[in-house]
Each structure stands twice: as structure tokens, then as C-alpha cells.
Amino acid sequence: MGAPEIATAVLDVRNLSVAFATHTGPVAAVHDVSFTVAPGETLALVGESGSGKSVTSLAVMRLTPPAPRTRLDGQALFRSRDGTVRDLLAVPERAMRALRGNEIAMIFQEPMTSLNPVQRVGDQIAEAVMTHRPVGRREALDRAEHLLARVGISDARRRLAAFPHHLSGGMRQRVMIAMALACDPALLIADEPTTALDVTVQAQILELLQDLQRETGMAIVFITHNLGVVAEIADRVMVMYAGRIVEQGEVGPVMRAPLMPYTQGLLRAVPTLTVSDGFVPLTSIPGTVPSPTALPPGCAFEPRCPYALPGLCDATTPPLDDAFDGQQVRCLRWDAVAALEARP
Amino acid sequence: MASFLLNRLIQSVILLALVSVIGFAVLHLAPGGPLSQFALIPGMTQEQLAHIAHEMGLDRPLPLQYWEWVSRLVTGDWGHSYRDNQPVLAIISGRLPATFELMLTAIALAVLLGVTVGVLGAVRRGSIFDSLATVGAMVALSIPTFWFGLIVIYIFAVKLGWLPAGSRSTVGDGSFSDYFRHLIAPAVVLALVEVAIWSRYMRGAMLDVISQDFIRTARAKGLSEKSVMLRHAFRNALLPMIELAGLELPTLLGGALVTETVFTWPGMGRLFLDSLGYRDYPVVMGILMVSAVLVLIGSLFADILSAAADPRIRL
Ligand SMILES: Nc1ncnc2c1ncn2[C@@H]1O[C@H](COP(=O)(O)OP(=O)(O)O)[C@@H](O)[C@H]1O
Ligand code: SF4
Ligand SMILES: [Mg+2]
């Protein structure tokens, strides 16, 4: 393999495909996905439920079901603290374990169920420390206390002894974040970390993640189905649909002028506050994400797309085109669509 | 905790009262009775039988008989056996050690083997071991205990001569190894069904936990698969098993009854069947009450243990 060039990126995913073995044959949940994240940068991974966001992130962590049940193709080049670059999809399991929770950490959607219900939160955090550092339990618990304080939990010493069910959803997500930070990871993958939380707590957690990123310079891959969150936290955004990237670029341009009809639909589904009448009713995209077992021919979004052109969109599979300023879009008619969207 | 114990005490008293009423009624309403034994004695006349019935109080109304039995029971007077006139309490406590020895050995076997097989089956789900364990459990659950006991006796005692065919020890030999040799076959026979049940429940509990989110969290921490399974999955999967232990006690008592009979084991279960045959009402009722108390204590113990092991449960 040699030392691949990944420039400044901490993670460089190239042509990642993930297929699950099922009784009806392999199911391609993720197809040919490439992206990079640089230190200190936040990449948002957006798409409706079932579009392949979690599978993409779990594949990078190598937490998908083991080999015969899952097939991983492509590369996920990761730059370690010591400067070496390794393909996460190719390193032995042992080496991968040494990276997980250490240099790459992950937090999940459900803070209610993501913590061990019968282990004290202090021990759960300390365990992450002790797994990767040659420290005893005392020292690890001291670090756990420090981490709890850092994620904004007051009275951290006493909270070490709490069980998850003693804490609110927001507090549990803070504990998860503390656990993820245990070994100062270079990359944090956050899979819908605020989806299960109410709006105020959601905002607090987003702010916390941004603060921590400023402090540590870690890269964040932030997964969400809510484009509203993206504007707040991300530098770049990558939109997924049916296991494929359908649009990506800088947050500003993508949010201001999305080129892909799917991104436009997602944007319209974000509740916005107007002065006159409170929340504008959200218009969700009709229909659902097709299952990877039943992808429509041509463009996967064709059955739901307001701009679909019969004879074209249901016949030709669109490539990921370079539009302007590094923005990429997977749509056969993106220039026509952009012109139509530009009209009021 | 105090109010929990008080609640349980009240519940237990009500349950024991119900068990005693139902047991008493079923026993006395069943055809045949203690008199049929006396009727077999040659030369027994109808008058003599009526006299005996009167002496035993059997000619009085059933509720009255029950009341007399119960009011003596609560003062510690459990009555005397119809067969040999020994105090019921003394007879039963004489048999308890043998039953405990058998049951505790069987429980230990069931827990050790059942938990191990269940955990391995879950961790290696779909493997040859898992399939064999599944089939094995199905077979074990479908074999009647008495039949299995007889087969074991036939093979290991009669054909191979490796183990004694029954009883708890050889007369005149009080050595540990002699007791142990006698214990093996009945303990294994009694444990068989329990091992099957425990391995199935353990496997299910383990699979249930393995699919939960916090297991993924544990893996994301970089823990080895062994740590994930032992420290996180196994610890959580044991919780429902404590409850199972409490629920399985009646099954185990029932199994002990059959096993003791097949292996002429001098325990409470065999005493129960013998006494039932003789319509020895005081002994039968005594054993019923002792068993009910054992079951209640078992389930109380399981609840307290659950609360100790699971921080989410508060008594
Ligand atoms: N272990 C698996 N086996 C088979 N299919 C899976 C598995 N995990 C996920 N999938 C499928 O992959 C697709 C993408 O799922 P996911 O990545 O979880 O979506 P989301 O974008 O909501 O996170 C879905 O159709 C899902 O059913
Ligand atoms: S290719 Fe056609 S169907 Fe697909 S998004 Fe573009 S316009 Fe819509
Ligand atoms: Mg998901």
C-alpha cells in the first residue's frame, strides 16, 4: 500500500462500499462513498433515516457485523497521533481496537440506552481511560471526574458514583461525550447525538461539542437528519440518499443554494421561525428512502423528485458531478434545477 | 425495604392459607381415604372402622377438621403420622437433609452447566456448538424424568455397575466417597431438565443484551470482545436469571419428587408419594406446607438478590 497521500486530513475515506449478507443475497447499504475530514473541522453527514449514515460511520469504526456477514470495500485512511497513516478497513482487529475509543471515538443517538445500566458512570468513563492508558483505577477515576467537569456536569466527584438511570437524557449524553474524550481522540464520530433530546438540551450539547472542538482541535463527523443543525455546527456537509452521496460542499453554498432536489426538499423540511406566525408548517418530502434491496432504476430519488424527467431520470444513473466551488451533486438536471429554483 | 418485607410477609401468609385450604380440600375430597388401609386388615368389621374414623376425627365436617388441623399447625403441633404415629415435623425434618443435598447439587450443576452452555451458545450463535446445544436442550426437555432415571440406572448400575442403583449411602459405610457415588446419578437426572432450561434462558438473555446499544458503546471504547462479553453483556444477562432461579424452585421440587422415587432416595419427595399412597393426611399436608414455605423463601431470596445486583430495582 505504501504511505498514501492524505494531505492534511485526519480521515480520508475512499470509495467505501458496505454490503450485508442476507438470506436473499448481499444488500449494498453504502455505495462508493468518499470524503475527508481535516483536524478541527466538522463534516456533517445528512440524510433521512435509512440513507446509510450510520452504516458509513460504523464501517469506519469497523463496528459493522464481522467479515462474512458484512463486506467492506474501499479505504478509510486515518492519520494517527504519531503521524502514520493506516487504512482502517485493512488493519488487524487488534490494531483497530487500540484506535477505537482512543484516537477515534464515537457517540450515539440514544443516550438512554447507550450506557451500561448496571455500571456506575465513573467506572464506565474510567474503563475507557484504562483500556488505552497504563493507569490504575484511582487515576482513571480522577481523569473521569475531570472529564465530567469538562463536559459541564456539576458536582463531578459525586456524579462518578451515579448510575445512568439517575441522570437525565442530556446528562447521559454528556457522560457519553466525556467517555469519548477519555483519550483525547483526533476524530469524534457523533451519530445523531442530539436527535433524542429536546430542543434546549440539543442546543447545549451542540455548543459543548463546538467548545470542545475549539479546545482540542479534534475533527468531528456529525451525523444528523436535520439540516437546521448543520448550519450551526458544520464546516462542510455531505448529503446521503439510498447509500450514496448526492451532494457535498461547503455549508454556506449548500445551505444557501442546494443543487440537488433532495437537499432542497430536506431544507424545506426544516422548521423556520418567522416573525408573523410562529413556525412555518414543514413540508416533508413525500414518500420514503427506498430500501437498498429495491433501488429504482436510474436516479434513486426519481420516484420522489419534483423535477424528475421521464425517460431520462428513470433510465440513466446520475454520476456525482462537480458543480461550482468544489460543490458536488448527483443529479442529471442540476443546472436546469438550479435555474428553476433561483426563480421566486 | 421494611415495608417490602412486611408486604411480602402478608402476601406469604395469604398464599400459605390458600395452599393449605386447597391442599386439604383436594386431599379429603379425593376418592379413597385413610380408612381404606384399615379396611384391608383381615377381620375388620364395619363397626370397628367407624370407631377408628371417629377416633381420627374423620367423621366430623371437613371445615371443622381443617380448623382443628390449622390451629394446631400454627402452634407448632403438626400432628402425628397415621402410619407409625411419629410426629410429622420430626419425620419431615429427618428427610429434609437428603432432599437438600440432592436439590442443591442439582441446582449447582444446572447453574454452572446451563449458564456456560447458554453463554457460549449466544456468543457463538449459529455455530455447531450452538446447534448441538439447542437440539440437546430440546431432547432433554422432552425426556420424562422418571424414564431418564430408569435408563441411567439400567446403563450405569445394572449394565456397567459403575454406580449404585439407588438410596443415599451403603449401610455401614459412612464415607464421603460412598455418599458421593450415590449422589451422582440422581443429581444428574434431576439437573438434566434444569440445565436445559437454564441454558435456553441464559442464551436468550445473553442475545437480548448483546443486541443492546451499550454493547456497541463498549466495543466503541476499544474493549476486547472478551471484556465486552464478560464485563458488560454477561453481567447484565445474569439479572433475569436470578428471577428465573426463584421461579424454577417449584419445578425443581417436582423433579425431586420423581427422582427420589426412582432412586429410592430417602428424601421428602419420596416420603410424599409414600404418604400419599397411605393417605397419611398429616404427613402429606405437612410436606405441602414445607414445600410452599421453601418456594416462598426462594422467591423472596431471589427478589432481594435481584435488588442487590440491579441498581434500578429498589425494594
Ligand atoms: N446489519 C445490517 N444488516 C442488513 N442491513 C442493514 C444492517 N444495518 C443497516 N442495514 C440497512 O442499511 C440501510 C442504511 O441504514 P443506516 O445506515 O442505519 O441508515 P441511517 O442513515 O438512518 O443511519 C438501511 O436500509 C438498513 O436497513
Ligand atoms: S436526476 Fe432527475 S430524478 Fe434525480 S434528482 Fe435529478 S432531477 Fe430528480
Ligand atoms: Mg442512523
Side-chain angles (χ1 to χ4, degrees):
Chain A
M1 188 173 71
E5 274 310 310
I6 65 169
T8 57
V10 58
L11 178 70
D12 181 350
V13 173
R14 298 180 179 178
N15 312 106
L16 171 69
S17 293
V18 184
F20 296 108
T22 65
H23 0 267
T24 51
V27 170
V30 169
H31 185 77
D32 199 20
V33 164
S34 302
F35 61 90
T36 63
V37 213
E41 185 187 41
T42 299
L43 170 71
L45 200 53
V46 190
E48 289 166 290
S49 179
S51 49
K53 309 180 299 291
S54 295
V55 170
T56 302
S57 61
L58 290 171
V60 169
M61 288 291 275
R62 282 253 303 268
L63 286 175
T64 44
R69 283 158 62 200
T70 312
R71 190 194 150 112
L72 301 176
D73 287 302
Q75 288 181 314
L77 305 174
F78 177 77
R79 183 190 300 279
S80 279
R81 277 196 274 267
D82 60 9
T84 59
V85 171
R86 275 176 291 178
D87 178 5
L88 299 178
L89 304 189
V91 297
E93 173 60 24
R94 229 190 138 70
M96 192 63 222
R97 264 206 318 266
L99 290 174
R100 269 187 218 127
N102 181 12
E103 301 198 41
I104 313 173
M106 189 159 181
I107 56 177
F108 301 97
Q109 175 171 348
E110 286 296 336
M112 291 310 200
T113 53
S114 291
L115 291 167
N116 186 336
V118 302
Q119 200 181 23
R120 295 178 195 279
V121 298
D123 288 328
Q124 300 195 42
I125 301 170
E127 189 179 36
V129 179
M130 288 187 290
T131 304
H132 300 290
R133 300 216 168 143
V135 297
R137 185 160 179 269
R138 268 266 58 86
E139 220 176 312
L141 280 173
D142 284 344
R143 172 137 179 91
E145 181 189 348
H146 166 77
L147 288 163
L148 281 183
R150 194 162 161 210
V151 297
I153 290 184
S154 57
D155 205 359
R157 180 94 246 164
R158 202 171 51 86
R159 297 284 189 193
L160 288 176
F163 285 100
H165 69 276
H166 294 140
L167 307 176
S168 67
M171 293 270 263
R172 289 189 209 189
Q173 199 57 288
R174 285 175 196 268
V175 169
M176 282 296 291
I177 295 171
M179 195 189 296
L181 295 179
C183 300
D184 289 319
L187 172 65
L188 175 70
I189 301 176
D191 189 353
E192 311 220 22
T194 59
T195 302
L197 305 174
D198 70 52
V199 183
T200 33
V201 182
Q202 185 170 325
Q204 290 166 5
I205 296 288
L206 289 181
E207 203 172 310
L208 172 66
L209 285 174
Q210 283 174 300
D211 286 347
L212 291 166
Q213 185 177 40
R214 264 193 298 276
E215 267 176 56
T216 63
M218 66 184 170
I220 298 182
V221 173
F222 191 96
I223 298 175
T224 179
H225 63 252
N226 180 357
L227 262 182
V229 172
V230 172
E232 283 178 51
I233 192 164
D235 302 302
R236 284 188 303 120
V237 57
M238 175 170 123
V239 183
M240 281 187 80
Y241 187 78
R244 287 169 174 77
I245 298 176
V246 293
E247 177 154 15
Q248 70 174 352
E250 302 288 324
V251 161
V254 172
M255 298 290 285
R256 228 178 299 118
L259 298 175
M260 170 74 186
Y262 179 59
T263 317
Q264 294 160 3
L266 285 180
L267 208 54
R268 273 192 279 271
V270 175
T272 44
L273 201 62
T274 64
V275 191
S276 55
D277 53 6
F279 282 103
V280 165
L282 36 134
T283 44
S284 61
I285 312 169
T288 51
V289 181
S291 144
T293 49
L295 286 185
C299 172
F301 189 55
E302 187 269 336
R304 305 170 70 190
C305 180
Y307 296 106
L309 205 62
L312 175 71
C313 298
D314 53 6
T316 314
T317 305
L320 192 61
D321 268 349
D322 289 314
F324 7 79
D325 304 328
Q327 195 167 343
Q328 290 183 307
V329 57
R330 190 187 296 278
C331 172
L332 297 166
R333 311 184 60 210
W334 66 266
D335 33 9
V337 168
L340 287 167
E341 281 281 314
R343 272 192 306 227
Chain B
M1 183 74 187
S3 82
F4 164 79
L5 284 178
L6 188 69
N7 261 330
R8 282 303 281 265
L9 193 69
I10 295 169
Q11 278 174 21
S12 300
V13 169
I14 295 172
L15 264 166
L16 288 175
L18 273 174
V19 166
S20 69
V21 169
I22 295 169
F24 203 87
V26 168
L27 204 57
H28 283 78
L29 296 177
L35 292 182
S36 54
Q37 294 296 330
F38 295 96
L40 296 176
I41 300 170
M44 183 63 74
T45 66
Q46 209 56 40
E47 274 133 56
Q48 280 170 308
L49 273 180
H51 181 70
I52 293 170
H54 183 73
E55 290 276 277
M56 292 168 79
L58 291 170
D59 55 348
R60 270 174 288 171
L62 203 53
L64 199 64
Q65 288 185 45
Y66 174 77
W67 180 248
E68 282 179 358
W69 172 75
V70 153
S71 34
R72 282 206 213 102
L73 188 80
V74 293
T75 64
D77 175 9
W78 289 38
H80 292 256
S81 162
Y82 288 167
R83 261 205 290 175
D84 51 13
N85 212 32
Q86 294 294 308
V88 169
L89 215 45
I91 298 177
I92 295 177
S93 43
R95 296 295 193 106
L96 273 179
T99 293
F100 281 155
E101 178 188 323
L102 184 60
M103 277 183 29
L104 290 178
T105 314
I107 290 174
L109 274 176
V111 170
L112 275 175
L113 276 175
V115 164
T116 311
V117 170
V119 168
L120 288 179
V123 171
R124 307 204 186 122
R125 183 185 191 174
S127 65
I128 295 176
F129 173 84
D130 187 30
S131 310
L132 284 179
T134 302
V135 173
M138 292 305 165
V139 171
L141 284 173
S142 58
I143 294 179
T145 301
F146 78 91
W147 187 84
F148 181 55
L150 292 176
I151 295 294
V152 166
I153 291 175
Y154 180 73
I155 295 175
F156 292 97
V158 179
K159 282 284 161 194
L160 298 172
W162 292 353
L163 295 170
S167 79
R168 196 180 172 202
S169 61
T170 312
V171 182
D173 184 350
S175 69
F176 176 79
S177 71
D178 181 60
Y179 269 95
F180 184 72
R181 268 166 45 80
H182 281 81
L183 179 60
I184 296 173
V188 166
V189 168
L190 177 56
L192 181 78
V193 170
E194 292 295 319
V195 172
I197 292 174
W198 274 74
S199 69
R200 297 317 288 165
Y201 272 91
M202 191 68 220
R203 179 181 182 274
M206 205 54 193
L207 284 178
D208 198 42
V209 173
I210 288 174
S211 71
Q212 288 183 30
D213 290 346
F214 66 85
I215 295 300
R216 191 182 48 193
T217 305
R219 290 194 177 116
K221 274 188 209 178
L223 294 182
S224 69
E225 199 57 20
K226 201 173 116 200
S227 300
V228 174
M229 287 305 148
L230 288 180
R231 244 184 279 163
H232 293 274
F234 182 58
R235 171 82 172 70
N236 275 278
L238 271 184
L239 299 177
M241 303 308 285
I242 299 174
E243 216 171 314
L244 177 70
L247 293 174
E248 274 301 299
L249 225 91
T251 315
L252 196 68
L253 273 167
L257 193 125
V258 177
T259 312
E260 287 181 4
T261 306
V262 172
F263 286 92
T264 56
W265 189 262
M268 200 171 68
R270 208 178 125 221
L271 176 67
F272 184 80
L273 283 188
D274 288 351
S275 306
L276 206 58
Y278 276 100
R279 307 289 166 175
D280 194 346
Y281 291 172
V283 177
V284 171
M285 283 308 295
I287 294 176
L288 194 64
M289 297 316 287
V290 167
S291 307
V293 168
L294 282 180
V295 168
L296 288 173
I297 290 176
S299 95
L300 176 71
F301 198 64
D303 283 353
I304 292 175
L305 212 61
S306 284
D310 188 340
R312 287 163 299 182
I313 300 178
R314 301 203 55 190
L315 296 182

